[in-house]
């Protein structure tokens, strides 16, 4: 991803390993400050996932893979480290996939640095291919809607939902992106808009509640990411995705999710069984350190919702665009 730091454009990843440390862009302080944090043990990596220094399913997975590497370097008990990392956030499947992948690679004698770097590079490569496969769905002149941040920050590089958008722009297509602000953590406004700005891609931030208005005015395609996809094609994504999907179907706008195969949890049959994270009520009641709600009011803060597969036009993956009705069949024999 290209990031402007003090006026200079630099190519960076969201998470990487360098000099025995895990390094990551602090997504809590973007877009106004670009800061890199250094982590020296898996406890710090677990905390960085919990407090959303790193966020977005594939990026969380890569951070956890590097967390397992630090646990190896520090001669820690790997089963305990795996449990601690898996206990940080419940919905994004990549977290569990990455930790199990590292346990299996290390268990079969792989060099832990190589195993974690391979995992990160594979995710980046998968996202690149998602971009190539999804770009074909975007016509010249398209108005595209997205939600939350499913860009390079959420996936280490390229993105899932943002990868086809970047690819369409790089191919010279004339596009415009509606960026839903994504209350309460504002990943759309703070992170997606930041990524699009850095690439020079035309866009506007819209209030979450205005999606129906813009979908009716003329959006050509909606592309969002996914945190976990069940065997029947239902998927969990950032809260607010479900209502966009229902409105898009009502208005005849094609609606896609984009995700690498590491986000598919085929052990879960239907969306209703995906665990949904509830986060603290202060994320809703307090804005930038100022309490807005009346004292004494409570809030409910589900981080994700589940969209049934009937609202999906397709699932954009590194292997192609899957029919959401037939996920298990399409993935039969495919190595996840
Ligand atoms: O709570 P977050 O910011 O970790 O949630 C991330 C999302 O829901 C993203 O929008 C996403 O689509 C999945 S990650 C590419």
């Amino acid at each position: 991803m290209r990031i402007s730091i003090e006026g200079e454009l630099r190519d960076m990843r969201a998470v990487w390993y360098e000099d025995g440390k895990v390094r990551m862009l602090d997504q809590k302080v973007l877009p106004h400050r670009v800061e890199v944090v250094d982590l020296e043990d898996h406890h710090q990596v677990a905390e960085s996932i919990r407090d959303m220094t790193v966020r977005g399913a594939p990026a969380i997975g890569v951070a956890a893979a590097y967390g397992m590497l630090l646990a190896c370097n520090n001669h820690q008990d790997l089963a305990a480290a795996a449990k601690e990392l898996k206990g940080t956030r419940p919905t994004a499947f990549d977290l569990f996939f990455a930790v199990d992948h590292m346990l299996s690679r290390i268990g079969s004698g792989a060099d832990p640095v190589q195993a974690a770097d391979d995992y990160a590079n594979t995710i980046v490569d998968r996202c690149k291919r998602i971009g190539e496969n999804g770009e074909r769905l975007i016509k010249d002149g398209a108005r595209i809607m997205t939600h939350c941040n499913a860009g390079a920050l959420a996936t280490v590089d390229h993105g899932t939902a943002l990868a086809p958008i970047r690819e369409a722009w790089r191919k010279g297509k004339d596009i415009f992106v509606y960026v839903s602000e994504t209350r309460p953590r504002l990943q759309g406004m703070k992170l997606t808009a930041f990524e699009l700005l850095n690439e020079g891609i035309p866009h506007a931030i819209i209030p979450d509640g205005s999606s129906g208005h813009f979908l009716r005015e003329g959006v050509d395609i909606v592309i969002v990411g996914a945190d976990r996809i069940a065997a029947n094609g239902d998927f969990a994504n950032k809260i607010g995705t479900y209502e966009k999907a229902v409105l898009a179907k009502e208005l005849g706008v094609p609606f896609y999710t984009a995700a690498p195969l590491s986000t598919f949890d085929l052990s879960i049959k239907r969306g209703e069984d995906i665990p949904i994270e509830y986060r603290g009520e202060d994320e809703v009641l307090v804005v930038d350190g100022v309490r807005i709600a009346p004292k004494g009011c409570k809030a409910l803060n589900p981080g994700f919702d589940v969209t049934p597969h009937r609202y999906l036009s397709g699932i954009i993956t590194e292997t192609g665009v899957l029919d959401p009705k037939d996920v298990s069949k399409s993935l039969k024999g495919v190595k996840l």
Side-chain angles (χ1 to χ4, degrees), residues 229-235 257 269 307-309 312 315 324-325 327-328:
I229 304 176
N232 71 344
D234 297 353
F235 73 106
T257 184
K269 299 276 168 288
T307 300
H309 64 268
L312 272 174
I315 305 178
K325 290 189 295 300
V327 167
S328 297

Side-chain angles (χ1 to χ4, degrees), residues 52 54-58 60 89 147-151 154-155 160 187 224-227 237-238 258 277 279 303-304:
M52 291 175 75
V54 59
R55 31 70 47 208
I60 289 172
R89 293 191 72 190
H147 186 56
C148 195
N149 173 259
T155 65
T160 50
Q187 291 96 327
V224 298
D227 289 85
N237 193 48
K238 183 51 59 193
E277 175 181 19
R279 298 187 58 85
F304 303 92

Side-chain angles (χ1 to χ4, degrees), residues 10-336:
R10 286 201 215 153
D11 273 318
M12 291 187 86
R13 284 188 171 188
V15 185
W16 68 100
Y17 180 70
E18 192 178 336
D19 298 334
K21 295 183 183 120
V22 176
R23 310 195 76 199
M24 54 177 67
L25 285 167
D26 186 345
Q27 300 193 38
K28 298 193 308 301
V29 302
L30 286 171
H32 300 299
R33 297 203 311 272
V34 180
E35 286 179 9
V36 173
V37 294
D38 288 350
L39 310 173
E40 296 184 4
D41 60 42
H42 72 276
H43 305 297
Q44 291 176 345
V45 173
E47 188 50 30
S48 75
I49 297 172
R50 202 175 291 111
D51 75 6
M52 291 175 75
T53 301
V54 59
R55 31 70 47 208
I60 289 172
V62 169
Y66 282 129
M68 291 299 290
L69 162 60
L70 292 186
C72 277
N73 289 354
N74 296 333
H75 311 290
Q76 300 288 307
D77 177 73
L78 290 189
K83 190 164 177 238
E84 182 174 340
L85 288 161
K86 285 182 177 183
T88 50
R89 293 191 72 190
T91 303
F93 186 62
D94 295 66
L95 169 65
F96 304 92
F97 181 86
V99 170
D100 287 340
H101 175 87
M102 284 297 287
L103 283 174
S104 139
R105 290 272 327 256
I106 296 164
S108 56
D111 169 46
V113 178
Q114 192 65 51
D117 276 342
D118 284 352
Y119 185 80
N121 291 335
T122 303
I123 290 296
V124 170
D125 181 59
R126 287 175 171 203
C127 288
K128 193 164 186 315
R129 284 187 280 144
I130 287 172
E132 289 156 6
N133 292 332
E135 179 273 328
R136 297 179 199 123
L137 300 168
I138 299 175
K139 61 175 198 217
D140 193 23
R143 287 151 303 170
I144 308 157
M145 184 178 283
T146 191
H147 186 56
C148 195
N149 173 259
L153 290 163
T155 65
V156 180
D157 210 350
H158 302 293
T160 50
L162 282 201
I165 295 173
R166 276 183 212 283
E167 192 63 18
W169 180 248
R170 283 178 192 164
K171 286 209 159 145
K173 289 185 182 169
D174 174 24
I175 54 173
F176 183 86
V177 187
Y178 295 93
V179 179
S180 183
E181 59 178 347
T182 319
R183 276 281 289 154
R185 292 289 294 235
L186 302 173
Q187 291 96 327
M189 172 150 73
K190 291 185 172 179
L191 305 176
T192 300
F194 175 73
E195 290 195 34
L196 294 174
L197 189 71
N198 278 296
E199 295 267 348
I201 301 175
H203 65 280
I205 297 162
I206 58 166
D208 290 336
S210 68
S211 304
H213 171 79
F214 287 109
L215 283 165
R216 196 170 52 193
E217 283 219 323
V219 169
D220 299 292
I221 183 170
V222 183
I223 312 178
V224 298
D227 289 85
R228 193 184 294 226
I229 304 176
N232 71 344
D234 297 353
F235 73 106
N237 193 48
K238 183 51 59 193
I239 192 76
T241 301
Y242 174 42
E243 62 201 48
K244 284 185 173 54
V246 175
L247 283 165
K249 192 169 182 79
E250 164 72 14
L251 296 162
V253 180
F255 188 100
Y256 290 87
T257 184
L261 298 184
S262 51
T263 304
F264 286 75
D265 180 1
L266 301 183
S267 76
I268 284 194
K269 299 276 168 288
R270 320 165 303 154
E272 291 94 309
D273 301 328
I274 298 176
I276 298 295
E277 175 181 19
Y278 268 71
R279 298 187 58 85
E281 61 177 12
D282 276 0
E283 286 187 353
V284 177
L285 301 172
V286 177
V287 176
D288 273 346
V290 179
R291 186 175 171 111
I292 306 292
K295 268 197 186 142
C297 285
K298 297 264 166 232
L300 296 172
N301 187 17
F304 303 92
D305 56 27
V306 170
T307 300
H309 64 268
R310 66 176 177 279
Y311 294 107
L312 272 174
S313 310
I315 305 178
I316 308 167
T317 72
E318 62 270 38
T319 61
V321 181
L322 307 184
D323 178 348
K325 290 189 295 300
D326 247 341
V327 167
S328 297
K329 210 160 129 204
S330 314
L331 292 180
K332 213 167 184 176
V334 174
K335 196 174 170 305
L336 293 185

